[in-house]
């Protein structure tokens, strides 16, 4: 729901005094919450990195590491290739990772294109005067949803058919979103 629509609902349903309080107190908080897309984006990056690491054989067991301490090489040598973990996590750009996932058949055309598009939007955060639009925020949410589905199908597959169905559904959703852009 857009802020404009939410404001209109508040205006229609609240007394004048409450509506003024809504605009002064609640709406700025809602706006601040809406314009903080980083949790969605961090999840997208984490899911993508984990999938690359799994395909590269970084995880030697079913345990998935998302971060490692300095002394992890000694502690977890039987569970994770620490050197490869660090190389992928810090040496590969997100663009490299999604290209790799496409090459490996994990991302198909629409999911790849959507993630690349959202990656470009996210990179605008470096412009100090850029504000994400509501459509940008919606895209971050959908990118997380799609990536989560693909991550699940890649990291925890029940069987090949189920995994392919989940990926196919994510691809259809990505296609629909790209058509709306």
């Amino acid at each position: 729901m857009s802020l404009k629509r939410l404001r209109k609902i508040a205006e229609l349903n609240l007394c004048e005094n409450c509506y003024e309080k809504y605009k002064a107190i609640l709406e700025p908080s809602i706006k601040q919450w809406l314009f903080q897309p980083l949790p969605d984006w961090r999840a997208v990056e984490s899911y993508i990195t984990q999938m690359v690491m799994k395909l590269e054989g970084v995880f030697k067991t079913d345990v998935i590491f998302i971060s490692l301490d300095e002394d992890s090489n000694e502690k977890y040598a039987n569970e994770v290739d620490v050197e490869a973990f660090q190389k992928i996590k810090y040496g590969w750009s997100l663009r490299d990772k999604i290209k790799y996932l496409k090459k490996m058949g994990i991302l198909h055309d629409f999911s790849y294109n959507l993630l690349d598009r959202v990656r470009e939007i996210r990179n605008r955060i470096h412009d100090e005067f850029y504000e994400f639009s509501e459509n940008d925020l919606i895209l971050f949410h959908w990118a997380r949803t799609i990536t989560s589905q693909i991550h699940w199908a890649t990291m925890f597959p029940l069987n090949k058919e189920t995994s392919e169905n989940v990926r196919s559904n994510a691809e259809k959703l990505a296609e629909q979103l790209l058509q709306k852009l």
Side-chain angles (χ1 to χ4, degrees):
M1 178 179 305
S2 72
L3 283 173
K4 287 179 185 178
R5 182 173 169 156
L6 188 57
R7 184 182 306 128
K8 188 66 175 170
I9 290 170
E11 183 180 24
L12 292 172
N13 291 292
L14 299 174
C15 69
E16 188 175 325
N17 188 30
C18 292
Y19 177 65
E20 292 304 316
K21 288 178 183 175
Y22 162 81
K23 287 192 316 186
I25 298 169
L26 294 176
E27 189 172 288
S29 296
I30 294 168
K31 186 174 182 179
Q32 181 181 12
W33 175 75
L34 281 175
F35 287 88
Q36 292 186 7
L38 295 180
D40 279 337
W41 186 250
R42 277 193 282 259
V44 168
E45 287 182 333
S46 180
Y47 293 150
I48 289 169
T49 300
Q50 289 172 33
M51 289 186 284
V52 169
M53 287 182 181
K54 178 174 182 167
L55 294 171
E56 282 290 294
V58 171
F59 306 122
K60 298 175 183 178
T61 65
D62 290 337
V63 177
I64 298 168
F65 290 80
I66 56 172
S67 66
L68 294 171
D69 298 335
E70 291 179 17
D71 62 345
S72 295
N73 205 10
E74 296 170 14
K75 282 202 272 188
Y76 303 112
N78 294 330
E79 296 169 303
V80 64
D81 180 338
V82 175
E83 186 178 316
F85 180 97
Q86 301 295 357
K87 180 181 175 188
I88 292 169
K89 185 163 185 165
Y90 301 110
W92 291 32
S93 70
L94 186 65
R95 183 179 222 172
D96 294 337
K97 293 172 190 175
I98 63 174
K99 281 183 179 180
Y100 175 83
L101 292 175
K102 183 167 182 1
K103 178 182 166 189
M104 298 302 287
I106 301 300
L107 295 178
H108 300 295
D109 289 338
F110 294 115
S111 53
Y112 171 83
N113 290 334
L114 180 74
L115 289 172
D116 194 46
R117 176 86 181 264
V118 177
R119 178 192 61 79
E120 289 174 354
I121 292 168
R122 185 267 177 217
N123 284 343
R124 294 179 192 159
I125 200 169
H126 300 294
D127 176 357
E128 63 184 284
F129 299 108
Y130 182 78
E131 276 194 30
F132 293 112
S133 70
E134 284 190 50
N135 285 338
D136 294 343
L137 300 173
I138 291 167
L139 276 176
F140 284 120
H141 169 76
W142 284 113
R144 180 181 185 165
T145 300
I146 289 167
T147 308
S148 174
Q149 292 173 1
I150 296 168
H151 176 264
W152 178 82
T154 303
M155 302 299 285
F156 315 105
L158 296 175
N159 61 53
K160 187 174 181 168
E161 182 180 338
T162 302
S163 294
E164 284 305 315
N165 284 339
V166 170
R167 278 194 198 98
S168 176
N169 289 336
E171 185 69 3
K172 289 175 188 173
L173 181 56
E175 180 181 15
Q176 291 171 353
L177 290 167
L178 284 169
Q179 287 175 353
K180 291 180 182 180
L181 296 178

